[in-house]
Amino acid sequence: NPGKRTFTPEVANFGALTLPSGGEQFTDDVNEDKARSGANWGAGRLSAGTGGGSGRLGDLVIDDNQSRTVFTSPQPAVARIKYLRNVRGSDAGRFMIGNNVPHVLYKTPANATPTDIPIRTFLTDTMKETVAAFRNNPTANPLLSQLSFEIEGTDTIVVSSATAGATLNGARLATFPDFAITIVGVSASPTADPLDTNWGPGWAPAVAGFPYFTGALSGGLDNGLGVSTTAGALINNLNPRLFLTNLTLNDFFASTPVPVVSDGQLDFTLIDLQSNSTLTARGDNSLRLLARGLFNMADTAIIDVAGSDLGAHPSEAPIGQLGSRGGPGAGRGGQGADRPDDTGTTFLNLVNCTGPPTASGACGEGVTNPNPTGQTPVINAGVLNPGAVSNGRPGQGVGGVAGFGGVTDLGDGIGGSRWPLNLPTGTAFADYGQLDTNSTAPTTTGCQSAQIGATGSGGAFATDGTSGTSVSLAPLGVNGSSNTATTATTPGQAADLALESTSGDPLTFTRRALRPSLGFLRGGSGGGGGGAGLFGTHTNSATTGTVACLGATTAIDRYRTHSGAGGGGGGGAIQIAAGRILSLDGRIDATGGEGGDALPTNVIYGQHAAPGGGGSGGAILLQSKVIDLSPIQNRLNVSGGAGGNGPVFTAGTGTGGNGGTGLVRIEDDALFGVLDQPTAAISVTPADLATNSTGWLSLGDWTPSASGDEAYSGAQSCWMRATGNFFNLTFESDSPTELGWDMDVILDLGAGEQVVSYRESTVFAGSSPQQSWGNLIDDGTLVPPQEEAPLIVRFQGAKAVGNLTDPCNVDVTDISVVAQNSLTPWVQHPDEFNSNLLAIKPDMVRFQIVFNRAHRDFALLRGVKNVAIRVVPD
């Protein structure tokens, strides 16, 4: 029946409803989001749980096969150099001038040819990589080897490590993006450079008409994943609408909030690391992961807080290998020894070879002779190295900073001494004191030293590090003195940390319990760096033997010094606290970093670095009501790092000292079944089956601190919807006669429990609990006299797509379940959902209630009930 029809829709008047129906009385757990709740939900009230944190950062879920990196402290920006054209194959000996400061051009692209080829993929180096090249390149000007780049605001400055804080020539290099780079060739007739008059052949300044090309620093600051250089370490890629903040809708949409975390403590509602996922943490502070409800880790998931390993170090490099960084909150490894500074000595004027190297490698050591005219600097002579330190440096102690509960000696690995102790200062016999020689030199038949610097020792934590072993080509020189240091490097000492005796009651431990509130949650200590040596230095005697090699008429005709390898960083510290259940099937790696090695292959001159010591293992603290720890080996690894490997000789290979074992502490609730020591010990590496690893593993009751975020616990409801056929909901505002939402608070003011309205009672001298306490959480925005409350309540709305099959397990990012862009921020009153800022109005709501044990009135609070949100369907 075609044609127009006129009708008036029937008005369906829905009365006001409460969500949930009749108010949430907490008599059952039907509306409890268990994965995100750690408070005690049931028995007619919601009361504070043991701990688990506020959950203010929302969920942390790392999907299958995904990786995530978080930073526990602000990270410096990284400047990148991008070369605009490929380096030609013929440019291998060239270097670059950046704002008149010379830099070694050390990378040659694989696709470089004798002709110029425009690049298709940028050859990209960070300043850090460039500095590493300075330090490791034996043909670099030694003064350049001491440079390090730092970022100051948006400026790059060059700082000389010889004089801390000094700038090269007192000049700032550049302001991004105007860093000029010029590639220059090797001049046949070098002109003296104003920065350094001792360059020698092969080092040319930038002269007029000689530049190869000019590039530019591109891209500004490269901050990496989750890094901030200004506001602290951030964890990014989180949905800002899931953050628990104090913002209103107006403030939220105006500012796009960012969660600031500068102390390494990350509070989530739940943490779920799925199959083959990896969470890596870096930074100066210990990593503290709090899950208000559930922590779950699949069996193939990994949390990496380990100290970094070091690779091999070329001993001809003028600067000792830098120690590797420790894990979060751990000590860095010690730097290896530098080659001694030969400024003002005759070693800068030695004549070593006058032609190409011999087939045996003599003088030139099997490489193109870098010194055909006998001038310096070359690898077979001394170096200008102002400020050089010829002993290996100690690693940083436990925690990376001075002070571990008042203890000042922190178990750091000690650096190896130079050997010999008295280094030559001239070529005459009288000048070189303890120079020792050996007639069985690897490449010559002359009188050659086989002296090797002492190895670095391992750092300590729960157990001592070890001292390492030095091995040279032969034990003794021709005069009977040792070719290796006569006194072993002292290992890091666990006694420095004053840990409690393992025979004591684990329930009374504080240091071994890694108490965060007392400053005892610290990562391990770093290993020491290796010392300098003289291997390969020899005298000009034509015969061998003590008198001939060390006679008064002999002189040093080849002077060789060697820098040392660095120490490994300590394993990091991690706390995992879950308010409900901590289920750990995966692996936590808190191992110490391995010490640096000598190069196994290279020119002979570069293979003699004394190895560095390993860093100690770190610290792992697990806390929850219930801990489900997989009884499989290597779940919790706090092993110390291995010492580096020294030069390979027929007599054997020396090694740096090994790092000591770290600490593991596990705490749960006796009411829910205590994990026992033998069972827990199965999962811990290293293992001492005879003692169930009591030397580094202890168990106790979970008793979080009543301060900081450890004092928080809380719960979250499932999504709630009104029943019936309607388009949307109006969330009622407060009126003089009725509140848009309210709940009852159970208090004990000294005369027994009483139940009062949270929002309209006058129990506190005419004020309600909400008026007296406020409703703020410490989200980094509070300004005194603002303070956080003992009760924090927030609401969130969304629009459902169809029926919810399981309101307690809703993926808010799935647009087939939740309408796109309909998820609101968390707000303090549901009537904010009526705002015109929301393009899509919510038809469902959920709440969070967080308890703060640190508040002065918390002792009065016994719980809450009767949470009711008034809505009107339309």
Side-chain angles (χ1 to χ4, degrees), residues 467-742:
S467 58
T469 303
S470 295
V471 174
S472 188
L473 181 68
L476 301 175
V478 294
N479 63 353
S481 61
S482 176
N483 281 325
T484 59
T486 55
T487 302
T489 308
T490 304
Q493 299 294 305
D496 294 345
L497 301 169
L499 301 175
E500 297 90 351
S501 170
T502 57
S503 62
D505 182 0
L507 297 179
T508 65
F509 289 168
T510 54
R511 287 177 172 83
R512 285 186 179 273
L514 304 173
R515 288 279 178 260
S517 60
L518 300 178
F520 294 137
L521 182 66
R522 297 283 189 179
S525 60
L534 291 177
F535 194 99
T537 296
H538 78 64
T539 59
N540 59 7
S541 174
T543 59
T544 60
T546 303
V547 175
C549 289
L550 299 177
T553 61
T554 62
I556 296 175
D557 64 351
R558 180 186 299 145
Y559 178 63
R560 294 175 177 168
T561 56
H562 304 275
S563 55
I574 179 173
Q575 173 194 16
I576 301 175
R580 192 178 195 92
I581 297 174
L582 193 161
S583 178
L584 194 152
D585 293 328
R587 179 164 58 90
I588 299 177
D589 184 357
T591 55
E594 296 180 358
D597 305 318
L599 278 177
T601 56
N602 189 27
V603 294
I604 293 174
Y605 184 60
Q607 297 179 30
H608 300 101
S616 79
I620 299 175
L621 172 61
L622 305 180
Q623 298 171 311
S624 186
K625 290 179 181 178
V626 178
I627 295 181
D628 181 10
L629 180 61
S630 180
I632 301 174
Q633 292 181 341
N634 205 32
R635 298 301 88 186
L636 310 174
N637 195 338
V638 291
S639 300
N645 293 315
V648 178
F649 299 112
T650 55
T653 302
T655 58
N658 297 327
T661 303
L663 285 172
V664 177
R665 175 73 170 187
I666 300 174
E667 297 179 347
D668 56 11
D669 193 325
L671 293 176
F672 298 94
V674 177
L675 186 68
D676 60 60
Q677 182 98 13
T679 303
I682 296 172
S683 307
V684 175
T685 302
D688 182 351
L689 299 180
T691 65
N692 291 318
S693 302
T694 54
W696 48 88
L697 168 65
S698 65
L699 282 72
D701 294 334
W702 184 28
T703 54
S705 169
S707 61
D709 282 2
E710 283 192 80
Y712 285 109
S713 62
Q716 182 167 301
S717 75
C718 303
W719 287 101
M720 299 173 291
R721 300 183 71 191
T723 58
N725 296 318
F726 54 89
F727 290 106
N728 56 39
L729 293 177
T730 298
F731 293 85
E732 290 202 333
S733 301
D734 297 336
S735 70
T737 59
E738 198 164 35
L739 298 176
W741 82 274
D742 198 6

Side-chain angles (χ1 to χ4, degrees), residues 309-516:
D309 297 335
L310 283 174
H313 174 66
S315 66
E316 77 270 37
I319 301 299
Q321 185 182 33
L322 295 179
S324 69
R325 57 160 180 76
R332 188 182 186 97
Q335 183 176 349
D338 304 322
R339 291 177 63 188
D341 177 27
D342 296 302
T343 301
T345 73
T346 55
F347 293 126
L348 295 176
N349 298 311
L350 288 178
V351 176
N352 297 296
C353 294
T354 58
T358 65
S360 65
C363 296
E365 306 293 54
V367 298
T368 301
N369 189 359
N371 187 27
T373 61
Q375 300 300 310
T376 59
V378 294
I379 63 173
N380 292 333
V383 292
L384 293 167
N385 210 3
V389 177
S390 56
N391 293 321
R393 284 77 150 183
Q396 290 182 325
V398 167
V401 294
F404 181 78
V407 180
T408 54
D409 294 322
L410 302 172
D412 49 305
I414 305 303
S417 67
R418 61 183 178 271
W419 195 253
L421 295 178
N422 297 323
L423 297 171
T425 58
T427 58
F429 170 73
D431 291 332
Y432 51 76
Q434 293 185 14
L435 176 66
D436 191 13
T437 62
N438 185 279
S439 60
T440 56
T443 60
T444 71
T445 58
C447 301
Q448 179 166 302
S449 171
Q451 291 162 312
I452 296 292
T455 65
S457 70
F461 203 164
T463 64
D464 295 342
T466 65
S467 58
T469 303
S470 295
V471 174
S472 188
L473 181 68
L476 301 175
V478 294
N479 63 353
S481 61
S482 176
N483 281 325
T484 59
T486 55
T487 302
T489 308
T490 304
Q493 299 294 305
D496 294 345
L497 301 169
L499 301 175
E500 297 90 351
S501 170
T502 57
S503 62
D505 182 0
L507 297 179
T508 65
F509 289 168
T510 54
R511 287 177 172 83
R512 285 186 179 273
L514 304 173
R515 288 279 178 260

Side-chain angles (χ1 to χ4, degrees), residues 264-287:
Q265 182 160 311
L266 303 172
D267 289 0
F268 297 99
T269 51
L270 67 83
I271 300 174
D272 185 12
L273 277 62
Q274 299 177 2
S275 296
N276 300 314
S277 64
T278 301
L279 175 64
T280 301
R282 298 289 180 258
D284 298 332
N285 297 312
S286 302
L287 175 63

